[in-house]
Every structure is written in C-alpha cells, then in structure tokens.
Amino acid sequence: MKIALVSDTHGVCRKELFDHIKKCDYLIHTGDFDNERTYNRFLNCGIPMYAVRGNCDHGEWASYLHEFVSVPINGKLFYLVHNKADLPFDLTDADFIIFGHTHVFTHYDRYGKVFINPGSAGADRGDGKGFAILELTDNGYDVERILL
C-alpha cells in the first residue's frame, strides 16, 4: 500500500506531483494548501485524501479542516498535524506522525513512532521542492523522498 505524503503546496499544483499521487492508494496533505482552488484540486485527485489545516489556510473552505486528526490506514494509526508543536502530548496510540510547516524533509524513528515531514511541494527553503511516498509493507515500511 502506497501513501502520498504532501505538505506546504502554497497554491502550487505541479502536474508531476499529481502523476505520482495517482499511483498511490491514499493521499495525506498536512496543510498550507493556501487557497480553495488548490484544496479542491487535491481533494478531487481520484484517491482518498486525509488533510489538516495549515497556518496559511483561511476562509470558509478551510474551516472544515481540523488542526489535528488521527486516521487509521491499513491497521496503522496516523497522527496528522501541520506544525509538530501542535501535536497532543499523548502519542501512545500513534504509529506514524506526519507533519509539515518547516518546508524541510524530515524522517526519523523515535520511541517506536515514525515521524515524517514530506517537505514542501510548493516553495523551496533550501532542500528542494518535493514530497514523499510511504509504502507500508509486510516487513514494516519504506519512505521515498521525491524531488520535483
């Protein structure tokens, strides 16, 4: 099972990003769509999407997005948040913590949890524009960072 991990698109909808997303089973977007048009483009990309509101997501369209959500996918529990500082203190049940905000790709395991920031698919802050694909396997998981 493949899950596209996207964050901080800031109004940018690159064709090559959507070409990759359409090959996945799920899409997780950790906020900063920046506008309703961009949000709708991701929402209607053809696969189920789970998303949270980023600090640049304002207006009626964004009021339906929560700052934090927990989502079960394929027997694993995902915690989604834009800014990692807004996570709940109790991460006991989480298997994966997916976040954004910094525009910098991050991946590490800590205390039996997997933390991933897919970086920015919209604006480069020094480490390139990109996103990640998380593949859940029988033996665990693999994370692939893809630069745009």
Side-chain angles (χ1 to χ4, degrees):
M1 167 165 301
K2 290 185 178 183
I3 304 167
L5 307 177
V6 179
S7 190
D8 296 282
T9 46
H10 291 284
V12 178
C13 298
R14 291 184 172 82
K15 180 188 179 311
E16 60 268 32
L17 173 60
F18 284 94
D19 289 344
H20 285 283
I21 289 172
K22 290 177 182 181
K23 297 175 186 173
C24 294
D25 301 293
Y26 291 95
L27 165 62
I28 290 175
H29 195 299
T30 57
D32 278 359
F33 294 94
D34 214 45
N35 59 59
E36 185 175 13
R37 179 190 60 80
T38 303
Y39 169 75
N40 285 331
R41 177 86 190 273
F42 282 94
L43 183 64
N44 297 309
C45 72
I47 63 171
M49 178 178 79
Y50 298 103
V52 291
R53 182 176 62 242
N55 59 295
C56 293
D57 297 330
H58 306 289
E60 186 176 338
W61 68 271
S63 68
Y64 299 101
L65 294 170
H66 297 284
E67 289 182 10
F68 166 81
V69 295
S70 61
V71 178
I73 299 175
N74 203 39
K76 302 293 182 186
L77 189 60
F78 289 76
Y79 279 14
L80 315 181
V81 68
H82 182 65
N83 186 339
K84 190 171 67 168
D86 295 330
L87 280 167
F89 287 106
D90 184 1
L91 303 176
T92 304
D93 296 335
D95 296 298
F96 292 89
I97 293 91
I98 314 297
F99 61 101
H101 189 58
T102 66
H103 292 219
V104 177
F105 176 80
T106 307
H107 168 230
Y108 57 91
D109 294 24
R110 183 170 292 153
Y111 309 116
K113 316 292 180 203
V114 178
F115 292 77
I116 304 171
N117 180 335
S120 172
D124 181 2
R125 282 200 184 157
D127 78 336
K129 297 177 287 292
F131 69 105
I133 293 180
L134 171 66
E135 184 171 4
L136 301 178
T137 66
D138 292 338
N139 299 324
Y141 74 94
D142 291 310
V143 176
E144 178 183 5
R145 181 179 186 211
I146 299 173
L147 293 173
L148 297 169

PDB file of all heavy atoms in Angstrom, residues 64-91:
ATOM      1  N   TYR A  64     -13.458  23.724   7.541  1.00  0.00           N
ATOM      2  CA  TYR A  64     -13.834  22.315   7.658  1.00  0.00           C
ATOM      3  C   TYR A  64     -12.642  21.419   7.967  1.00  0.00           C
ATOM      4  O   TYR A  64     -12.816  20.248   8.277  1.00  0.00           O
ATOM      5  CB  TYR A  64     -14.521  21.843   6.373  1.00  0.00           C
ATOM      6  CG  TYR A  64     -15.785  22.603   6.084  1.00  0.00           C
ATOM      7  CD1 TYR A  64     -15.810  23.621   5.140  1.00  0.00           C
ATOM      8  CD2 TYR A  64     -16.954  22.333   6.785  1.00  0.00           C
ATOM      9  CE1 TYR A  64     -16.969  24.340   4.888  1.00  0.00           C
ATOM     10  CE2 TYR A  64     -18.114  23.041   6.544  1.00  0.00           C
ATOM     11  CZ  TYR A  64     -18.118  24.044   5.592  1.00  0.00           C
ATOM     12  OH  TYR A  64     -19.265  24.744   5.363  1.00  0.00           O
ATOM     13  N   LEU A  65     -11.449  21.968   7.882  1.00  0.00           N
ATOM     14  CA  LEU A  65     -10.239  21.204   8.172  1.00  0.00           C
ATOM     15  C   LEU A  65      -9.855  21.385   9.638  1.00  0.00           C
ATOM     16  O   LEU A  65      -9.850  22.495  10.152  1.00  0.00           O
ATOM     17  CB  LEU A  65      -9.081  21.684   7.290  1.00  0.00           C
ATOM     18  CG  LEU A  65      -9.217  21.429   5.800  1.00  0.00           C
ATOM     19  CD1 LEU A  65      -8.128  22.180   5.031  1.00  0.00           C
ATOM     20  CD2 LEU A  65      -9.151  19.947   5.497  1.00  0.00           C
ATOM     21  N   HIS A  66      -9.489  20.303  10.283  1.00  0.00           N
ATOM     22  CA  HIS A  66      -9.046  20.361  11.676  1.00  0.00           C
ATOM     23  C   HIS A  66      -7.540  20.605  11.729  1.00  0.00           C
ATOM     24  O   HIS A  66      -6.816  20.318  10.774  1.00  0.00           O
ATOM     25  CB  HIS A  66      -9.383  19.051  12.392  1.00  0.00           C
ATOM     26  CG  HIS A  66     -10.844  18.782  12.483  1.00  0.00           C
ATOM     27  ND1 HIS A  66     -11.670  19.433  13.368  1.00  0.00           N
ATOM     28  CD2 HIS A  66     -11.641  17.960  11.767  1.00  0.00           C
ATOM     29  CE1 HIS A  66     -12.905  19.012  13.217  1.00  0.00           C
ATOM     30  NE2 HIS A  66     -12.926  18.118  12.241  1.00  0.00           N
ATOM     31  N   GLU A  67      -7.066  21.096  12.872  1.00  0.00           N
ATOM     32  CA  GLU A  67      -5.624  21.302  13.053  1.00  0.00           C
ATOM     33  C   GLU A  67      -4.903  19.980  13.307  1.00  0.00           C
ATOM     34  O   GLU A  67      -3.706  19.863  13.051  1.00  0.00           O
ATOM     35  CB  GLU A  67      -5.367  22.268  14.199  1.00  0.00           C
ATOM     36  CG  GLU A  67      -5.759  23.689  13.870  1.00  0.00           C
ATOM     37  CD  GLU A  67      -5.449  24.657  14.996  1.00  0.00           C
ATOM     38  OE1 GLU A  67      -4.756  24.267  15.968  1.00  0.00           O
ATOM     39  OE2 GLU A  67      -5.887  25.803  14.900  1.00  0.00           O
ATOM     40  N   PHE A  68      -5.626  19.007  13.834  1.00  0.00           N
ATOM     41  CA  PHE A  68      -5.057  17.698  14.142  1.00  0.00           C
ATOM     42  C   PHE A  68      -6.109  16.630  13.867  1.00  0.00           C
ATOM     43  O   PHE A  68      -7.273  16.814  14.209  1.00  0.00           O
ATOM     44  CB  PHE A  68      -4.631  17.638  15.619  1.00  0.00           C
ATOM     45  CG  PHE A  68      -4.347  16.242  16.088  1.00  0.00           C
ATOM     46  CD1 PHE A  68      -3.127  15.647  15.815  1.00  0.00           C
ATOM     47  CD2 PHE A  68      -5.301  15.513  16.784  1.00  0.00           C
ATOM     48  CE1 PHE A  68      -2.878  14.345  16.235  1.00  0.00           C
ATOM     49  CE2 PHE A  68      -5.055  14.221  17.202  1.00  0.00           C
ATOM     50  CZ  PHE A  68      -3.831  13.638  16.924  1.00  0.00           C
ATOM     51  N   VAL A  69      -5.706  15.543  13.239  1.00  0.00           N
ATOM     52  CA  VAL A  69      -6.598  14.391  13.078  1.00  0.00           C
ATOM     53  C   VAL A  69      -5.791  13.109  13.251  1.00  0.00           C
ATOM     54  O   VAL A  69      -4.586  13.068  13.003  1.00  0.00           O
ATOM     55  CB  VAL A  69      -7.329  14.353  11.705  1.00  0.00           C
ATOM     56  CG1 VAL A  69      -8.277  15.516  11.554  1.00  0.00           C
ATOM     57  CG2 VAL A  69      -6.376  14.271  10.555  1.00  0.00           C
ATOM     58  N   SER A  70      -6.483  12.076  13.700  1.00  0.00           N
ATOM     59  CA  SER A  70      -5.895  10.733  13.722  1.00  0.00           C
ATOM     60  C   SER A  70      -6.670   9.885  12.725  1.00  0.00           C
ATOM     61  O   SER A  70      -7.895   9.970  12.649  1.00  0.00           O
ATOM     62  CB  SER A  70      -5.943  10.131  15.125  1.00  0.00           C
ATOM     63  OG  SER A  70      -7.268  10.016  15.577  1.00  0.00           O
ATOM     64  N   VAL A  71      -5.937   9.106  11.951  1.00  0.00           N
ATOM     65  CA  VAL A  71      -6.527   8.359  10.847  1.00  0.00           C
ATOM     66  C   VAL A  71      -5.979   6.930  10.848  1.00  0.00           C
ATOM     67  O   VAL A  71      -4.759   6.748  10.796  1.00  0.00           O
ATOM     68  CB  VAL A  71      -6.167   9.020   9.493  1.00  0.00           C
ATOM     69  CG1 VAL A  71      -6.725   8.226   8.339  1.00  0.00           C
ATOM     70  CG2 VAL A  71      -6.633  10.453   9.444  1.00  0.00           C
ATOM     71  N   PRO A  72      -6.870   5.926  10.878  1.00  0.00           N
ATOM     72  CA  PRO A  72      -6.390   4.555  10.717  1.00  0.00           C
ATOM     73  C   PRO A  72      -6.295   4.203   9.232  1.00  0.00           C
ATOM     74  O   PRO A  72      -7.232   4.415   8.472  1.00  0.00           O
ATOM     75  CB  PRO A  72      -7.479   3.725  11.409  1.00  0.00           C
ATOM     76  CG  PRO A  72      -8.723   4.539  11.264  1.00  0.00           C
ATOM     77  CD  PRO A  72      -8.288   5.986  11.218  1.00  0.00           C
ATOM     78  N   ILE A  73      -5.140   3.689   8.835  1.00  0.00           N
ATOM     79  CA  ILE A  73      -4.936   3.223   7.466  1.00  0.00           C
ATOM     80  C   ILE A  73      -4.195   1.891   7.531  1.00  0.00           C
ATOM     81  O   ILE A  73      -3.094   1.813   8.084  1.00  0.00           O
ATOM     82  CB  ILE A  73      -4.110   4.224   6.623  1.00  0.00           C
ATOM     83  CG1 ILE A  73      -4.812   5.584   6.519  1.00  0.00           C
ATOM     84  CG2 ILE A  73      -3.850   3.656   5.228  1.00  0.00           C
ATOM     85  CD1 ILE A  73      -3.986   6.644   5.798  1.00  0.00           C
ATOM     86  N   ASN A  74      -4.819   0.870   6.980  1.00  0.00           N
ATOM     87  CA  ASN A  74      -4.186  -0.434   6.857  1.00  0.00           C
ATOM     88  C   ASN A  74      -3.642  -0.959   8.186  1.00  0.00           C
ATOM     89  O   ASN A  74      -2.535  -1.495   8.248  1.00  0.00           O
ATOM     90  CB  ASN A  74      -3.077  -0.373   5.799  1.00  0.00           C
ATOM     91  CG  ASN A  74      -2.748  -1.734   5.223  1.00  0.00           C
ATOM     92  OD1 ASN A  74      -3.641  -2.542   4.999  1.00  0.00           O
ATOM     93  ND2 ASN A  74      -1.475  -1.991   4.979  1.00  0.00           N
ATOM     94  N   GLY A  75      -4.403  -0.791   9.254  1.00  0.00           N
ATOM     95  CA  GLY A  75      -4.009  -1.301  10.558  1.00  0.00           C
ATOM     96  C   GLY A  75      -3.018  -0.443  11.318  1.00  0.00           C
ATOM     97  O   GLY A  75      -2.574  -0.819  12.404  1.00  0.00           O
ATOM     98  N   LYS A  76      -2.663   0.698  10.788  1.00  0.00           N
ATOM     99  CA  LYS A  76      -1.741   1.631  11.456  1.00  0.00           C
ATOM    100  C   LYS A  76      -2.490   2.917  11.773  1.00  0.00           C
ATOM    101  O   LYS A  76      -3.394   3.317  11.042  1.00  0.00           O
ATOM    102  CB  LYS A  76      -0.536   1.961  10.565  1.00  0.00           C
ATOM    103  CG  LYS A  76       0.273   0.759  10.146  1.00  0.00           C
ATOM    104  CD  LYS A  76       0.970   0.135  11.327  1.00  0.00           C
ATOM    105  CE  LYS A  76       1.830  -1.046  10.902  1.00  0.00           C
ATOM    106  NZ  LYS A  76       2.402  -1.734  12.055  1.00  0.00           N
ATOM    107  N   LEU A  77      -2.091   3.587  12.850  1.00  0.00           N
ATOM    108  CA  LEU A  77      -2.724   4.849  13.219  1.00  0.00           C
ATOM    109  C   LEU A  77      -1.783   6.006  12.889  1.00  0.00           C
ATOM    110  O   LEU A  77      -0.640   6.045  13.354  1.00  0.00           O
ATOM    111  CB  LEU A  77      -3.082   4.874  14.700  1.00  0.00           C
ATOM    112  CG  LEU A  77      -3.944   6.058  15.136  1.00  0.00           C
ATOM    113  CD1 LEU A  77      -5.283   6.073  14.384  1.00  0.00           C
ATOM    114  CD2 LEU A  77      -4.191   6.015  16.633  1.00  0.00           C
ATOM    115  N   PHE A  78      -2.294   6.921  12.072  1.00  0.00           N
ATOM    116  CA  PHE A  78      -1.544   8.094  11.637  1.00  0.00           C
ATOM    117  C   PHE A  78      -2.052   9.319  12.379  1.00  0.00           C
ATOM    118  O   PHE A  78      -3.255   9.546  12.436  1.00  0.00           O
ATOM    119  CB  PHE A  78      -1.741   8.323  10.123  1.00  0.00           C
ATOM    120  CG  PHE A  78      -1.061   7.309   9.260  1.00  0.00           C
ATOM    121  CD1 PHE A  78      -1.580   6.036   9.115  1.00  0.00           C
ATOM    122  CD2 PHE A  78       0.109   7.631   8.596  1.00  0.00           C
ATOM    123  CE1 PHE A  78      -0.955   5.097   8.316  1.00  0.00           C
ATOM    124  CE2 PHE A  78       0.744   6.700   7.795  1.00  0.00           C
ATOM    125  CZ  PHE A  78       0.207   5.428   7.656  1.00  0.00           C
ATOM    126  N   TYR A  79      -1.142  10.109  12.936  1.00  0.00           N
ATOM    127  CA  TYR A  79      -1.468  11.406  13.511  1.00  0.00           C
ATOM    128  C   TYR A  79      -1.021  12.451  12.498  1.00  0.00           C
ATOM    129  O   TYR A  79       0.147  12.457  12.091  1.00  0.00           O
ATOM    130  CB  TYR A  79      -0.739  11.628  14.829  1.00  0.00           C
ATOM    131  CG  TYR A  79      -1.355  10.980  16.040  1.00  0.00           C
ATOM    132  CD1 TYR A  79      -2.341  10.002  15.945  1.00  0.00           C
ATOM    133  CD2 TYR A  79      -0.952  11.333  17.314  1.00  0.00           C
ATOM    134  CE1 TYR A  79      -2.890   9.419  17.065  1.00  0.00           C
ATOM    135  CE2 TYR A  79      -1.496  10.755  18.443  1.00  0.00           C
ATOM    136  CZ  TYR A  79      -2.465   9.789  18.312  1.00  0.00           C
ATOM    137  OH  TYR A  79      -3.014   9.227  19.427  1.00  0.00           O
ATOM    138  N   LEU A  80      -1.938  13.321  12.098  1.00  0.00           N
ATOM    139  CA  LEU A  80      -1.641  14.356  11.114  1.00  0.00           C
ATOM    140  C   LEU A  80      -1.750  15.722  11.769  1.00  0.00           C
ATOM    141  O   LEU A  80      -2.736  16.015  12.451  1.00  0.00           O
ATOM    142  CB  LEU A  80      -2.625  14.299   9.939  1.00  0.00           C
ATOM    143  CG  LEU A  80      -2.944  12.943   9.332  1.00  0.00           C
ATOM    144  CD1 LEU A  80      -3.913  13.103   8.171  1.00  0.00           C
ATOM    145  CD2 LEU A  80      -1.692  12.230   8.912  1.00  0.00           C
ATOM    146  N   VAL A  81      -0.765  16.579  11.522  1.00  0.00           N
ATOM    147  CA  VAL A  81      -0.753  17.928  12.063  1.00  0.00           C
ATOM    148  C   VAL A  81       0.136  18.780  11.153  1.00  0.00           C
ATOM    149  O   VAL A  81       1.049  18.254  10.511  1.00  0.00           O
ATOM    150  CB  VAL A  81      -0.233  17.935  13.519  1.00  0.00           C
ATOM    151  CG1 VAL A  81       1.238  17.574  13.599  1.00  0.00           C
ATOM    152  CG2 VAL A  81      -0.552  19.217  14.243  1.00  0.00           C
ATOM    153  N   HIS A  82      -0.162  20.055  11.059  1.00  0.00           N
ATOM    154  CA  HIS A  82       0.696  20.912  10.237  1.00  0.00           C
ATOM    155  C   HIS A  82       1.987  21.236  10.991  1.00  0.00           C
ATOM    156  O   HIS A  82       3.077  20.947  10.523  1.00  0.00           O
ATOM    157  CB  HIS A  82      -0.040  22.194   9.847  1.00  0.00           C
ATOM    158  CG  HIS A  82       0.781  23.086   8.967  1.00  0.00           C
ATOM    159  ND1 HIS A  82       1.175  22.715   7.695  1.00  0.00           N
ATOM    160  CD2 HIS A  82       1.313  24.310   9.179  1.00  0.00           C
ATOM    161  CE1 HIS A  82       1.902  23.669   7.161  1.00  0.00           C
ATOM    162  NE2 HIS A  82       2.009  24.653   8.044  1.00  0.00           N
ATOM    163  N   ASN A  83       1.846  21.832  12.151  1.00  0.00           N
ATOM    164  CA  ASN A  83       3.004  22.223  12.963  1.00  0.00           C
ATOM    165  C   ASN A  83       3.182  21.189  14.060  1.00  0.00           C
ATOM    166  O   ASN A  83       2.301  20.988  14.884  1.00  0.00           O
ATOM    167  CB  ASN A  83       2.767  23.616  13.556  1.00  0.00           C
ATOM    168  CG  ASN A  83       3.973  24.145  14.286  1.00  0.00           C
ATOM    169  OD1 ASN A  83       4.857  23.406  14.704  1.00  0.00           O
ATOM    170  ND2 ASN A  83       4.020  25.461  14.456  1.00  0.00           N
ATOM    171  N   LYS A  84       4.333  20.539  14.085  1.00  0.00           N
ATOM    172  CA  LYS A  84       4.593  19.481  15.065  1.00  0.00           C
ATOM    173  C   LYS A  84       4.373  19.954  16.500  1.00  0.00           C
ATOM    174  O   LYS A  84       4.012  19.164  17.372  1.00  0.00           O
ATOM    175  CB  LYS A  84       6.013  18.946  14.868  1.00  0.00           C
ATOM    176  CG  LYS A  84       6.314  17.702  15.647  1.00  0.00           C
ATOM    177  CD  LYS A  84       7.639  17.087  15.255  1.00  0.00           C
ATOM    178  CE  LYS A  84       8.779  17.976  15.658  1.00  0.00           C
ATOM    179  NZ  LYS A  84      10.084  17.333  15.564  1.00  0.00           N
ATOM    180  N   ALA A  85       4.532  21.245  16.751  1.00  0.00           N
ATOM    181  CA  ALA A  85       4.316  21.793  18.092  1.00  0.00           C
ATOM    182  C   ALA A  85       2.856  21.675  18.529  1.00  0.00           C
ATOM    183  O   ALA A  85       2.565  21.775  19.720  1.00  0.00           O
ATOM    184  CB  ALA A  85       4.753  23.253  18.137  1.00  0.00           C
ATOM    185  N   ASP A  86       1.944  21.447  17.587  1.00  0.00           N
ATOM    186  CA  ASP A  86       0.520  21.332  17.909  1.00  0.00           C
ATOM    187  C   ASP A  86       0.058  19.895  18.137  1.00  0.00           C
ATOM    188  O   ASP A  86      -1.135  19.640  18.259  1.00  0.00           O
ATOM    189  CB  ASP A  86      -0.325  21.960  16.789  1.00  0.00           C
ATOM    190  CG  ASP A  86      -0.102  23.457  16.676  1.00  0.00           C
ATOM    191  OD1 ASP A  86       0.197  24.095  17.712  1.00  0.00           O
ATOM    192  OD2 ASP A  86      -0.206  23.990  15.559  1.00  0.00           O
ATOM    193  N   LEU A  87       0.998  18.950  18.201  1.00  0.00           N
ATOM    194  CA  LEU A  87       0.637  17.561  18.486  1.00  0.00           C
ATOM    195  C   LEU A  87       0.116  17.431  19.909  1.00  0.00           C
ATOM    196  O   LEU A  87       0.562  18.157  20.804  1.00  0.00           O
ATOM    197  CB  LEU A  87       1.857  16.647  18.338  1.00  0.00           C
ATOM    198  CG  LEU A  87       2.245  16.230  16.938  1.00  0.00           C
ATOM    199  CD1 LEU A  87       3.630  15.599  16.938  1.00  0.00           C
ATOM    200  CD2 LEU A  87       1.214  15.272  16.352  1.00  0.00           C
ATOM    201  N   PRO A  88      -0.781  16.472  20.151  1.00  0.00           N
ATOM    202  CA  PRO A  88      -1.173  16.197  21.539  1.00  0.00           C
ATOM    203  C   PRO A  88       0.032  15.622  22.291  1.00  0.00           C
ATOM    204  O   PRO A  88       0.943  15.057  21.676  1.00  0.00           O
ATOM    205  CB  PRO A  88      -2.297  15.171  21.398  1.00  0.00           C
ATOM    206  CG  PRO A  88      -2.117  14.564  20.060  1.00  0.00           C
ATOM    207  CD  PRO A  88      -1.439  15.595  19.200  1.00  0.00           C
ATOM    208  N   PHE A  89       0.024  15.768  23.581  1.00  0.00           N
ATOM    209  CA  PHE A  89       1.149  15.271  24.374  1.00  0.00           C
ATOM    210  C   PHE A  89       1.195  13.751  24.397  1.00  0.00           C
ATOM    211  O   PHE A  89       2.255  13.156  24.470  1.00  0.00           O
ATOM    212  CB  PHE A  89       1.094  15.821  25.804  1.00  0.00           C
ATOM    213  CG  PHE A  89       1.468  17.266  25.873  1.00  0.00           C
ATOM    214  CD1 PHE A  89       0.497  18.226  26.080  1.00  0.00           C
ATOM    215  CD2 PHE A  89       2.782  17.673  25.707  1.00  0.00           C
ATOM    216  CE1 PHE A  89       0.831  19.568  26.134  1.00  0.00           C
ATOM    217  CE2 PHE A  89       3.130  19.006  25.760  1.00  0.00           C
ATOM    218  CZ  PHE A  89       2.144  19.949  25.974  1.00  0.00           C
ATOM    219  N   ASP A  90       0.051  13.103  24.354  1.00  0.00           N
ATOM    220  CA  ASP A  90      -0.011  11.649  24.413  1.00  0.00           C
ATOM    221  C   ASP A  90      -0.010  11.071  22.997  1.00  0.00           C
ATOM    222  O   ASP A  90      -1.002  11.155  22.285  1.00  0.00           O
ATOM    223  CB  ASP A  90      -1.264  11.205  25.178  1.00  0.00           C
ATOM    224  CG  ASP A  90      -1.329   9.705  25.360  1.00  0.00           C
ATOM    225  OD1 ASP A  90      -0.402   8.989  24.929  1.00  0.00           O
ATOM    226  OD2 ASP A  90      -2.322   9.238  25.941  1.00  0.00           O
ATOM    227  N   LEU A  91       1.105  10.500  22.612  1.00  0.00           N
ATOM    228  CA  LEU A  91       1.237   9.886  21.292  1.00  0.00           C
ATOM    229  C   LEU A  91       1.179   8.363  21.371  1.00  0.00           C
ATOM    230  O   LEU A  91       1.575   7.665  20.443  1.00  0.00           O
ATOM    231  CB  LEU A  91       2.559  10.302  20.643  1.00  0.00           C
ATOM    232  CG  LEU A  91       2.816  11.795  20.469  1.00  0.00           C
ATOM    233  CD1 LEU A  91       4.215  12.035  19.902  1.00  0.00           C
ATOM    234  CD2 LEU A  91       1.762  12.421  19.587  1.00  0.00           C
TER     235      LEU A  91
END
